[in-house]
Amino acid sequence: MATEKEVSGGLGLEWRVTVPEGSTVKMEPEPSWISSTWNRLVELGSKLRAKVSTFGKKVWKIGADSPRKVIHGAKVGGALTLVSLFYYLRPLYNGFGSSAMWAVMTVVVVFEYTVGGCLYKGINRAIATLSAGGLAVGIDWVASKSGEKWEPVILSASVFLLASAATFSRFLPTVKARFDYGVTIFILTFSLVAVSGYRVEELINLAVQRIATIAIGIAIALSICMLVYPVWSGQELHLLVSRNMEKLADSLEGCVEDYFVKSEITDAKESSATRLEGYKCVLNSKASEDSQANLARWEPAHGGFGFRHPWKQYLKVAAALRNCAYCVEALHGCINSEAKAPEYMKKHLRDACMKLSSDSSKVLKELSSSIMLMKRSKSIDALVGEMKNAVHELQNAFASLPNHLTQTTASSPSESTEGKKNSNISIADGVALMEAMPLMTIVSLLIEISARIQGVIDTVGTLATLARFEGIRNEKSSSKVQAEEQEDKALQEV
């Protein structure tokens, strides 16, 4: 192998290597550090541009899917702009001074996405500020009358005792659920006023200014939150429970359909992957339901929801729904397990299983529609009857499965003697029963789901009674009309 060096066009050195076969390979010089740095910068810029583009698409999708979130952002910006006028306008600033900043801070911490959340924080902040401010002023007056020697001792002791007691109260379940934010504001306000009162001479004027600016911030936040495209926690809870019920119905019907029908065409794992979201939404929504129910208690009457609407009953409906979702989750795991039942066994129970899942799904969807429309369903009794009949049909089909297995194994061809044939049949029966275990589990889960749906029916019926759904109102009004007609007839007879 020979090598040679030559000058190429005055641009630099260029090497050529002659390999044994006689061909020549040109070797380019390594790129300089300037070109490599430039290439890295170009690559970094392209990656950054791609990430910005991806982020922009996600933001646009979120805004397009939920315009209320965009409106909420505009509402917060409008509230802050409005409250900032206390700093920009000289007459307002002269009236409140630097305490106007508390109005801005109040809007930032009080404004929430839902009306219930805004009322919860606004009312808690108002009560905590008034009580803590008044208590701090009173203790400061007592401390000031005790002399300079005992004044810091009394103030420090009061801060220690009240802060300790208020912090401990946050561990109480009732306080934690409804007044946790208020207790925090109480500790903050009392500490600030009590400590600052030791150095500030006009403490009452300072407390009045801060309370006034906080009241203005709360008023602005509540007004914009309730009057401009309000989002009600109660309505969100109402829709969440109803939609979760419909999602669970679709998930139940879809899992059984995938197992008995679509598994003949595609793999069950791939076809049932889209059905996961239904029951998972039901299982993962407990925290959101508890939060919405807690905030809904603070809201005034709106729409079809009265002031004392039974929000706790929605939590009972959701709990019964999760009780069904646990079985659906187990059903999905059994369907996607590695152990598969033979096709002839699945065909024997396919119609009964699909009918039961379809009837159970219809019951859940009817209950979902009843909650959504706030009307008592007229067809729920008939649908429940069909579901119970489907349970009996599945139990009968499951009871006839051993006979079906015996007939299948007995009809299989065998070239052995009669004694060996009987032993082979018994062994085949055992093997068939082992293969049928996944199918038996699915059958038992479907029957259990139908039994747990009865709990959902009972809780929805209680909700319809407490919330006075439209069907109940009509029944009561019709009963009143009948009573009046009977009274009229009695008067005519007299």
Side-chain angles (χ1 to χ4, degrees), residues 330-353:
L331 178 65
H332 181 269
C334 184
I335 287 174
N336 289 332
S337 64
E338 297 297 333
K340 301 295 182 182
E343 289 297 328
Y344 69 91
M345 295 184 187
K346 293 169 61 176
K347 288 182 180 179
H348 178 70
L349 297 174
R350 179 179 61 187
D351 294 338
C353 289

Side-chain angles (χ1 to χ4, degrees), residues 104-125:
V104 178
M105 295 174 59
T106 301
V107 171
V108 173
V109 299
V110 166
F111 211 111
E112 290 291 333
Y113 179 66
T114 61
V115 175
C118 194
L119 283 171
Y120 161 72
K121 283 193 171 182
I123 294 175
N124 271 267
R125 187 174 180 84

Side-chain angles (χ1 to χ4, degrees), residues 251 254-255 258 267-280 332 335-336:
S251 180
C255 285
D258 288 344
D267 185 33
K269 291 184 178 180
E270 297 178 358
S271 59
S272 62
T274 56
R275 309 286 183 171
L276 291 175
E277 185 178 358
Y279 73 86
K280 283 187 175 181
H332 181 269
I335 287 174
N336 289 332

Side-chain angles (χ1 to χ4, degrees), residues 33-49:
W33 65 272
I34 298 178
S35 60
S36 62
T37 304
W38 173 255
N39 293 333
R40 290 178 182 177
L41 290 176
V42 172
E43 183 180 1
L44 180 62
S46 61
K47 290 182 179 180
L48 181 61
R49 184 171 59 253

Side-chain angles (χ1 to χ4, degrees), residues 136 140 155 189-203 206-207 210:
D140 180 77
L155 291 177
T189 304
F190 179 81
S191 301
L192 289 176
V193 176
V195 173
S196 61
Y198 185 71
R199 298 296 182 183
V200 178
E201 296 181 357
E202 298 180 357
L203 181 61
L206 176 64
R210 289 187 178 180

Side-chain angles (χ1 to χ4, degrees), residues 251-474:
S251 180
L252 171 61
E253 188 175 10
C255 285
V256 178
E257 181 181 352
D258 288 344
Y259 183 70
F260 287 101
V261 178
K262 294 185 179 181
S263 60
E264 300 176 0
I265 304 174
T266 58
D267 185 33
K269 291 184 178 180
E270 297 178 358
S271 59
S272 62
T274 56
R275 309 286 183 171
L276 291 175
E277 185 178 358
Y279 73 86
K280 283 187 175 181
C281 290
V282 179
L283 295 177
N284 297 332
S285 61
K286 185 179 186 305
S288 178
E289 291 164 354
D290 293 340
S291 176
Q292 297 293 354
N294 184 35
L295 298 179
R297 301 174 189 174
W298 296 89
E299 295 178 346
H302 56 280
F305 309 105
F307 182 72
R308 299 182 62 85
H309 196 73
W311 301 115
K312 290 184 178 180
Q313 188 62 29
Y314 282 89
L315 298 181
K316 295 181 180 180
V317 175
L321 199 61
R322 275 192 301 275
N323 200 25
C324 295
Y326 291 131
C327 284
V328 176
E329 184 181 27
L331 178 65
H332 181 269
C334 184
I335 287 174
N336 289 332
S337 64
E338 297 297 333
K340 301 295 182 182
E343 289 297 328
Y344 69 91
M345 295 184 187
K346 293 169 61 176
K347 288 182 180 179
H348 178 70
L349 297 174
R350 179 179 61 187
D351 294 338
C353 289
M354 291 186 63
K355 187 176 186 305
L356 178 56
S357 66
S358 177
D359 292 341
S360 301
S361 177
K362 289 179 182 179
V363 172
L364 290 175
K365 290 181 178 179
E366 184 65 24
L367 293 175
S368 174
S369 177
S370 175
I371 295 176
M372 179 71 73
L373 301 176
M374 298 186 71
K375 294 182 180 179
R376 181 179 287 275
S377 174
K378 298 180 180 179
S379 60
I380 188 64
D381 294 333
L383 293 176
V384 172
E386 293 179 1
M387 182 182 68
K388 293 181 178 179
N389 293 333
V391 170
H392 293 307
E393 292 178 4
L394 180 57
Q395 290 175 341
N396 295 332
F398 183 70
S400 65
L401 182 60
N403 297 330
H404 181 72
L405 295 178
T406 302
Q407 294 175 2
T408 304
T409 55
S411 61
S412 60
S414 176
E415 298 178 356
S416 59
T417 60
E418 189 67 24
K420 293 182 179 180
K421 183 182 295 186
N422 293 333
S423 63
N424 290 336
I425 291 175
S426 61
I427 295 174
D429 289 340
V431 174
L433 288 175
M434 292 298 295
E435 293 177 345
M437 289 301 295
L439 191 59
M440 295 177 183
T441 306
I442 292 175
V443 171
S444 63
L445 286 173
L446 286 174
I447 296 175
E448 179 65 22
I449 290 172
S450 64
R452 296 190 179 190
I453 288 177
Q454 186 62 43
V456 181
I457 297 172
D458 295 337
T459 54
V460 173
T462 305
L463 175 62
T465 303
L466 296 176
R468 302 177 61 85
F469 280 5
E470 187 172 336
I472 297 178
R473 294 171 185 170
N474 291 339

